[in-house]
Amino acid sequence: MLQPIRNNITGDEGVRLRQADITDEGNRYVLDYLTFPKLEEIEGISHLFTTRTGGVSEGIFSSLNLSFSRGDDPECVHSNFEHVAYAMGCSVENMVLSKQTHTTNIRLVTSEDCGKGIIKEQDYTDVDGL
């Protein structure tokens, strides 16, 4: 069972560095992530920006790899998403991933999109913003 503990490490008006201490099947991980205080003020919005720490992937994918398309073990990638979801206080079933192509394309998501990119296939491409 994952057990996150949120800590504010450092920050200023624009961005905060936070940590989640996660215990997963007896192993301890420290997930470093960034949040924006202005977005935290808006009810109903959960967000974070990951770093490379706090995941289970190994080797060239170490440690918080969030890509299913690069050759990492899919079980590790899924576990990494579980770590991120717990840090956000949600489940992977409620997360929606973009298909980043570094464009200005935005997709309006609804509850029907929940899980796309992690536990469901995406039916869209070329999307940077959700």
Side-chain angles (χ1 to χ4, degrees):
M1 175 69 134
L2 299 177
Q3 300 172 345
I5 302 169
R6 293 184 188 203
N7 298 309
N8 186 25
I9 297 174
T10 181
D12 58 31
E13 292 292 320
V15 65
R16 288 191 181 127
L17 174 62
R18 296 182 178 267
Q19 283 187 328
D21 291 305
I22 300 169
T23 303
D24 185 359
E25 297 183 12
N27 297 309
R28 181 175 180 262
Y29 303 91
V30 178
L31 179 78
D32 292 329
Y33 61 96
L34 304 170
T35 62
F36 292 111
K38 290 293 183 189
L39 286 177
E40 291 175 324
E41 294 173 8
I42 302 171
E43 188 175 331
I45 292 183
S46 296
H47 77 286
L48 61 78
F49 296 87
T50 60
T51 67
R52 295 288 298 170
T53 66
V56 302
S57 295
E58 297 178 348
I60 63 170
F61 304 109
S62 180
S63 97
L64 189 70
N65 177 45
L66 297 173
S67 175
F68 288 103
S69 65
R70 301 287 185 223
D72 194 3
D73 179 344
E75 289 184 26
C76 289
V77 178
H78 186 34
S79 182
N80 291 340
F81 274 110
E82 289 282 351
H83 289 196
V84 172
Y86 275 94
M88 287 184 69
C90 69
S91 68
V92 294
E93 290 82 10
N94 290 324
M95 296 171 74
V96 181
L97 299 187
S98 64
K99 194 100 173 191
Q100 291 185 316
T101 54
H102 303 290
T103 64
T104 58
N105 299 330
I106 297 174
R107 176 181 172 87
L108 178 62
V109 296
T110 68
S111 59
E112 297 206 6
D113 293 301
C114 287
K116 288 185 179 175
I118 302 174
I119 60 170
K120 293 182 191 174
E121 286 292 318
Q122 291 171 313
D123 57 358
Y124 51 85
T125 60
D126 197 26
V127 173
D128 274 345
L130 300 172

